[in-house]
Every structure is written in C-alpha cells, then in structure tokens.
C-alpha cells in the first residue's frame, strides 16, 4: 500500500532511570544500546522524521545514536511528568507531519512489525488515534493524528497522553498485542531476566 501520510515517531528517552541505578537506555539489548534498538525499529517501520526526546545524560544518549537518522529534543525537566517529554517531541515536528507515533524506548518487546502495522492502518483510514491494547491495558505505541495535538499539548501528567486517549477511545482503532509485549525494563532484575532469554524478532 502506498503511504500518503507523513508519520513521525517521537521516542521518549529522557527518564532518570532511578530504579535501574544507571541509564537503562544505554544498556545492551541484542548487542546494541536499548535506545538505539528502539530508533532502529522506528526507522525500519518507515517513520520519518524520528525525534528522540533527551533528558538524563543527553550527550551519552546522543552519541549512541550518532549514525542513525534521528533528531533530538531536550526535556530539561526530565524528572517531571511524562507530558513534558511528549510536548518537547511534538514541538520539534514540522507542519508537514500528519501524525506522530509515540513510543517508549524501554518497551523492548515492541517490534518493527507492531510499529509498521500502526502506520499501515493509519494510512488506510481516518481514525484520529491508533492505540495498542494488551489485554485490558491501553498503552504505547500510540499514533496520534495532528488533529489531536492541541489536546496533547494542553495535557499535563503521566501516562503518555492517557486523558486524550480516554477522551477519544470511542473513535480510535485498537490493535491487540500479546500481554508480554507490554513489559518495560525498569529494574536490574528485569534487565537480567531479559538478557537470559531470547529477545523478540523484528
């Protein structure tokens, strides 16, 4: 199917990683830093531009992505609510962007296939929102068309635009994924468990 829309990806990578004790986005997954893996998957799924929102150790994160096709936005209040990073990412996008995929760099089980599925579906319909659903849980990756951006920019808080998703749930297209894909990596124990088992294919 020919893509007629321009969908960007906004990857939230600003967090302090307090429970990990070090910057988790620089830990290796499949032999590369976690953040690099997320950017590569967004790129392989066809999203452009890709904006990585930095906060904690921005120079180190930027260096790990030096040769990948992405740009950067900075959230100086990276210990604050998630909305600060989302706003920074959206504000870095140009007027020629039709929609934005929101993804979390530490959701390591989100595959290229999942991201591409959202993009293809959004190109095939006019739904303002495409939502990933894991059982009863609605979570990233989420694809917001531009018509919802003003609401996202007005929203403050945690949960990746949760209030906007709830307000438009009735007109959103849902994409169901295995519950295991919902897991993020926050603690040393979770990272050890991740490295001791096969990781997800693209």
């Amino acid at each position: 199917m020919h893509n007629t829309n321009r969908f960007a990806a906004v990857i939230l990578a600003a967090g302090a990683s307090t429970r990990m004790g070090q910057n988790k986005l620089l830990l290796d997954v499949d032999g590369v830093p976690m953040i690099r893996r997320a950017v590569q998957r967004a790129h392989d799924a066809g999203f452009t531009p890709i904006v990585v929102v930095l906060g904690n150790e921005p120079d180190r994160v930027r260096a790990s992505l030096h040769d990948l096709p992405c740009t950067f936005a900075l959230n100086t209040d990276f210990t604050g609510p998630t909305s600060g990073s989302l706003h920074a990412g959206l504000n870095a996008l140009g007027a020629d962007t039709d929609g934005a995929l929101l993804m979390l760099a530490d959701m390591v089980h989100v595959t290229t296939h999942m991201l591409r599925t959202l993009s293809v579906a959004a190109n095939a319909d006019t739904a303002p929102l495409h939502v990933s659903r894991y059982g009863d849980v609605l979570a990233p990756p989420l694809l917001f068309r531009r018509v919802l951006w003003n609401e996202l920019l007005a929203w403050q808080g945690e949960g990746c635009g949760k209030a906007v998703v709830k307000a438009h749930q009735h007109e959103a297209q849902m994409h169901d994924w295995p519950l295991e894909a919902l897991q993020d990596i926050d603690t040393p124990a979770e990272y050890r468990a991740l490295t001791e088992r096969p990781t997800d294919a693209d």
Side-chain angles (χ1 to χ4, degrees), residues 1-8 47 98-101 114-131 142-146 173 175:
M1 179 180 297
H2 178 65
N3 288 352
T4 57
N5 296 282
R6 190 178 194 215
F7 295 135
F47 288 90
D98 299 296
L101 176 87
M114 292 168 64
L115 301 179
R116 188 180 293 118
T117 296
L118 267 68
S119 176
V120 170
N123 265 295
D125 69 20
T126 58
L129 175 62
H130 284 254
V131 176
L142 305 158
L143 197 155
F144 295 90
R145 286 191 183 275
R146 181 175 283 275
Q173 183 174 147
H175 300 268

Side-chain angles (χ1 to χ4, degrees), residues 57-194:
E57 298 187 303
D59 292 339
R60 292 186 67 206
V61 176
R62 188 183 286 109
S64 75
L65 302 170
H66 68 95
D67 58 341
L68 291 183
C70 59
T71 60
F72 302 97
L74 184 64
N75 177 12
T76 56
D77 185 24
F78 62 88
T79 61
T82 311
S83 54
S85 288
L86 177 54
H87 295 167
L90 289 178
N91 285 327
L93 297 175
D96 59 343
T97 305
D98 299 296
L101 176 87
L102 173 64
M103 59 183 289
L104 302 178
D106 65 350
M107 287 184 66
V108 298
H109 301 295
V110 170
T111 64
T112 301
H113 167 72
M114 292 168 64
L115 301 179
R116 188 180 293 118
T117 296
L118 267 68
S119 176
V120 170
N123 265 295
D125 69 20
T126 58
L129 175 62
H130 284 254
V131 176
S132 291
R133 181 167 57 191
Y134 309 83
D136 296 329
V137 179
L138 307 182
L142 305 158
L143 197 155
F144 295 90
R145 286 191 183 275
R146 181 175 283 275
V147 68
L148 297 181
W149 289 10
N150 284 340
E151 291 180 50
L152 288 172
L153 290 169
W155 161 76
Q156 301 283 337
E158 300 290 352
C160 299
K162 183 185 297 185
V164 180
V165 172
K166 184 176 180 180
H168 294 276
Q169 186 173 338
H170 65 287
E171 53 185 337
Q173 183 174 147
M174 298 291 169
H175 300 268
D176 289 300
W177 309 116
L179 188 60
E180 294 78 17
L182 177 62
Q183 184 193 14
D184 56 7
I185 304 299
D186 286 327
T187 67
E190 289 170 347
Y191 179 64
R192 283 195 301 273
L194 174 70

